[in-house]
Amino acid sequence: MSIQTRSGMQRGTITKYRPFTPIELPDRQWPSKMITTAPTWCSVDLRDGNQALPIPMSVDEKLEMFDLLVGVGFKEIEVGFPSASQTEYEFMRRLIEEDHIPDDVTIQVLVQSREELISRTFESLRGAKKAIVHLYNSTSEQQRRIVFGLDKPAIVDIAVRGVRQIKDLVASVPETAITLQYSPESFSLTEIDFALEICEAVVDVWQPTPAQKIILNLPTTVEVSTPNIHADQIEWFCRHMRNRETAIISLHTHNDRGTGVASTEMGLLAGAERVEGTLFGNGERTGNVDIVTLALNMYTQGVDPCLNFSDLPAIQEIYEKCTRLSVPMRQPYAGELVFTAFSGSHQDAINKGMNALEKSHSPLWDVPYLPIDPKDIGRSYEAIIRINSQSGKGGVAYLMESEFGLQMPKAMHIEFGKVIKHLADVRGSEILSSELYQAFEQEYLQRTAPFKLTSFEGRTILNKAGSEALECIATVNINDVPHEIRGQGNGPIDAFVRALNQHGLANFTLKSYSEHALGNDASTQAVAYIQLQTPAGAFFGAALDTNIEIASIKAVLSALNRSTQPIKFN
């Protein structure tokens, strides 16, 4: 395959990009450390997450999301940028005036280091019991040169002036305990010594103490290096900062390189104590760091994350409703397929692991391919182990294809999986491969009542418009009463469907159709799968025949019969 592009990637020696300069830290300590306690978590779903949505959340949706975050256990929540718009301001006032904020939760508000914005922010805070004022300005060489055209002293002055104003305005909200958070935006691209210089200038003005700490948030605004370099930046900063005991070092990692989780974990090893992020990683570009993944990673290592994801599907449902985003099916922990093994070897290993765990009565989770017990986060055991009462569509579909060559359509996996689950519940034992096929025969291939095909003939004719069409002449027994029907369509299935509907014998539409051969020789049978939409719902039918047209017609009747009769097993 030849890939043609207008400009194209460079080959060989790459001159368009330069590697990130590593930090000089030969005696780094973070590689030998472990995460043993949860950081302070701060959700930025209502700010960073919201501003990245194609359709930002309404005030009511933000309130629902806020309540969800409180329920999960967040004690610090960045609720918005109240000086940026009237909507943001009104949301802030509703939180305070309608008493949505629990006593143990601190709201955080974002503001640029601009005088009028800081004043408006403090107006929005009146009546709040506790608040973090999050001040930021860009500090990187790239931003200084391209965006602002300012030198380092001028950038430091912007930050310092903002801190002085905030310090002066604290008295205007005497009922509110104010914590200052400062972010040198684009810390990841800022010279490490200058990042330290500007943060220490902020600290000198604010004058924090070990009892009244400042939060220094060191954001990977754009992820530009490998996670180990990010960890070196954090450790270097922590080791060189004056009066380190007066500051909480916070991380705010984006996912541009796809390593946001790793960068955050390594940053915690390097000395950070606080993490800002979003549920499921929503945010600008490739997103913020995913706090769900971070927290559950800790949980699988025996560390209490201090966040409750016991009902992750319910959390996901509210998140998707409020953001109008979908959690990818391969998203760690939350994705639809993350606990599904389509490989037979994986299924076998999981099954043996589950059996061994049950026999051992050990409190330690120890199952191959499953780093976490799905039940801990509100997931079930469906579709993760071999075919028994806990099995699902993935394993059933795999065995049906590998053992019998039946390549059922994906949507049919769900339907037949329910058939097998019902059988497993009735039997109370493992279902053998032969029993799988027997259930398929009984549920699909042997469904010949009340509709049964007696004869079918198709022939090409000219319709009234003068175009070629297929006319079918068929005899169908309904409750053993024969009915001869005729119909025209663009093919045998279409003609047969029209004939049944036009003669008032059935009421349905064709939803999907697929077929394939079973074997390679001349006497090979074909299998057809038909899905019909009926007043009772959507139903699949299936049939085998050496003639693919006849298999398709029988499959239509199989689906019709299934729509009229409940599942039965001998």
Side-chain angles (χ1 to χ4, degrees):
M1 177 180 178
S2 177
I3 300 175
Q4 301 294 325
T5 59
R6 186 166 295 178
S7 55
M9 294 175 61
Q10 290 183 340
R11 304 292 298 274
T13 302
I14 308 300
T15 58
K16 189 174 183 177
Y17 304 96
R18 58 178 180 269
F20 192 85
T21 303
I23 303 298
E24 185 64 30
L25 195 67
D27 60 339
R28 58 183 61 84
Q29 302 298 306
W30 64 262
S32 61
K33 296 187 177 180
M34 295 182 65
I35 296 173
T36 57
T37 58
T40 298
W41 302 105
C42 178
S43 160
V44 295
D45 289 86
L46 297 173
R47 173 53 197 173
D48 264 29
N50 188 52
Q51 75 173 4
L53 296 175
I55 303 175
M57 287 180 272
S58 66
V59 171
D60 287 340
E61 287 168 337
K62 290 184 77 172
L63 285 170
E64 184 174 7
M65 180 66 79
F66 180 83
D67 289 341
L68 171 66
L69 296 169
V70 170
V72 167
F74 286 96
K75 301 305 180 185
E76 295 181 4
I77 301 172
E78 187 167 271
V79 295
F81 197 148
S83 62
S85 71
Q86 188 61 27
T87 300
E88 294 274 286
Y89 185 92
E90 289 175 0
F91 173 64
M92 183 71 179
R93 295 312 306 160
R94 280 191 66 178
L95 282 176
I96 297 170
E97 293 169 7
E98 297 177 6
D99 199 25
H100 287 278
I101 308 167
D103 291 342
D104 62 347
V105 172
T106 303
I107 55 172
Q108 178 170 300
V109 289
L110 185 67
V111 63
Q112 288 176 306
S113 188
R114 290 168 52 187
E115 183 177 352
E116 70 280 7
L117 299 183
I118 293 172
S119 297
R120 180 67 167 166
T121 298
F122 270 81
E123 290 175 14
S124 77
L125 286 173
R126 290 195 176 95
K129 295 176 183 177
K130 296 182 293 185
I132 298 168
V133 178
H134 181 187
L135 181 77
Y136 74 96
N137 67 309
S138 291
T139 58
S140 70
E141 185 278 332
Q142 187 184 62
Q143 293 272 349
R144 299 194 308 264
R145 171 173 47 85
I146 297 174
V147 180
F148 299 105
L150 296 175
D151 59 11
K152 290 180 180 178
I155 294 294
V156 173
D157 184 59
I158 290 173
V160 167
R161 280 190 284 110
V163 176
R164 287 188 179 128
Q165 184 184 357
I166 291 171
K167 194 169 186 178
D168 291 341
L169 286 172
V170 168
S172 70
V173 286
E175 71 282 13
T176 307
I178 297 292
T179 298
L180 176 66
Q181 173 170 316
Y182 174 68
S183 288
E185 190 195 8
S186 61
F187 166 82
S188 53
L189 276 163
T190 300
E191 305 94 318
I192 192 67
D193 55 346
F194 180 55
L196 179 63
E197 177 188 339
I198 196 169
C199 286
E200 289 189 334
V202 165
V203 169
D204 289 343
V205 174
W206 188 252
Q207 291 292 301
T209 68
Q212 300 286 332
K213 296 185 179 184
I214 189 173
I215 300 171
L216 295 178
N217 190 52
L218 307 179
T220 305
T221 308
V222 180
E223 196 175 33
V224 293
S225 69
T226 51
N228 61 301
I229 292 179
H230 176 251
D232 283 349
Q233 289 176 314
I234 300 302
E235 182 172 329
W236 189 99
F237 188 98
C238 291
R239 288 168 62 172
H240 287 80
M241 180 190 172
R242 288 186 281 108
N243 302 317
R244 169 69 179 86
E245 71 280 0
T246 67
I248 296 167
I249 302 302
S250 175
L251 305 174
H252 181 115
T253 308
H254 282 258
N255 199 41
D256 298 88
R257 292 169 57 92
T259 56
V261 168
S263 290
T264 303
E265 289 176 333
M266 290 185 182
L268 290 172
L269 296 175
E273 306 132 292
R274 181 177 183 270
V275 170
E276 294 187 346
T278 59
L279 299 177
F280 308 112
N282 177 36
E284 298 282 10
R285 303 180 309 281
T286 55
N288 290 64
V289 72
D290 177 7
I291 286 184
V292 176
T293 299
L294 280 169
L296 292 177
N297 281 357
M298 293 179 190
Y299 180 70
T300 65
Q301 301 303 301
V303 176
D304 182 358
C306 300
L307 294 175
N308 187 358
F309 294 115
S310 295
D311 193 353
L312 193 55
I315 294 168
Q316 180 178 337
E317 182 180 356
I318 296 174
Y319 164 84
E320 292 184 335
K321 172 189 170 187
C322 292
T323 64
R324 301 171 183 83
L325 299 177
S326 296
V327 174
M329 63 177 59
R330 294 296 183 188
Q331 181 88 0
Y333 303 108
E336 177 188 354
L337 297 179
V338 296
F339 297 124
T340 299
F342 291 100
S343 162
S345 61
H346 287 205
Q347 289 181 330
D348 184 59
I350 292 169
N351 183 60
K352 290 175 179 176
M354 297 288 285
N355 289 337
L357 191 66
E358 184 177 357
K359 291 176 182 177
S360 71
H361 302 290
S362 171
L364 184 67
W365 179 256
D366 186 24
V367 178
Y369 300 110
L370 295 178
I372 190 172
D373 184 348
K375 285 191 173 181
D376 284 358
I377 54 175
R379 301 288 296 270
S380 73
Y381 291 145
E382 288 188 23
I384 65 169
I385 58 176
R386 215 160 65 193
I387 311 308
N388 56 27
S389 60
Q390 304 299 326
S391 297
K393 60 185 184 298
V396 172
Y398 169 78
L399 288 176
M400 291 299 289
E401 180 174 356
S402 62
E403 297 289 327
F404 310 108
L406 292 168
Q407 302 165 19
M408 295 184 295
K410 188 172 183 181
M412 194 176 178
H413 296 180
I414 300 172
E415 185 182 90
F416 188 53
K418 291 178 180 178
V419 172
I420 297 306
K421 180 170 174 50
H422 176 85
L423 176 60
D425 288 338
V426 171
R427 297 279 182 83
S429 62
E430 183 177 353
I431 307 302
L432 302 176
S433 296
S434 59
E435 293 173 316
L436 274 182
Y437 188 79
Q438 186 179 45
F440 185 85
E441 280 187 316
Q442 189 171 356
E443 184 59 24
Y444 297 99
L445 305 183
Q446 295 173 1
R447 287 296 190 105
T448 58
F451 294 87
K452 182 177 181 180
L453 184 69
T454 302
S455 65
F456 178 88
E457 177 185 358
R459 61 187 182 187
T460 302
I461 64 168
L462 290 178
N463 60 25
K464 294 179 180 179
S467 301
E468 284 192 353
L470 193 290
E471 182 183 55
C472 81
I473 304 170
T475 301
V476 176
N477 283 2
I478 305 177
N479 293 320
D480 296 324
V481 177
H483 296 264
E484 184 173 299
I485 58 175
R486 291 172 179 261
Q488 295 179 15
N490 56 24
I493 301 174
D494 186 42
F496 186 67
V497 167
R498 289 174 183 269
L500 284 169
N501 282 294
Q502 289 167 0
H503 284 77
L505 302 179
N507 178 21
F508 65 92
T509 57
L510 181 67
K511 194 171 182 182
S512 68
Y513 165 72
S514 62
E515 51 84 17
H516 63 83
L518 285 174
N520 299 310
D521 56 34
S523 61
T524 291
Q525 285 190 309
V527 58
Y529 310 96
I530 295 281
Q531 188 181 29
L532 303 183
Q533 185 67 50
T534 76
F539 293 85
F540 272 96
L544 291 170
D545 201 278
T546 53
N547 184 313
I548 187 56
E549 288 186 3
I550 299 300
S552 302
I553 301 307
K554 287 181 178 178
V556 170
L557 297 181
S558 167
L560 272 180
N561 289 328
R562 292 189 65 251
S563 73
T564 63
Q565 297 178 357
I567 298 173
K568 294 180 181 178
F569 294 101
N570 294 328

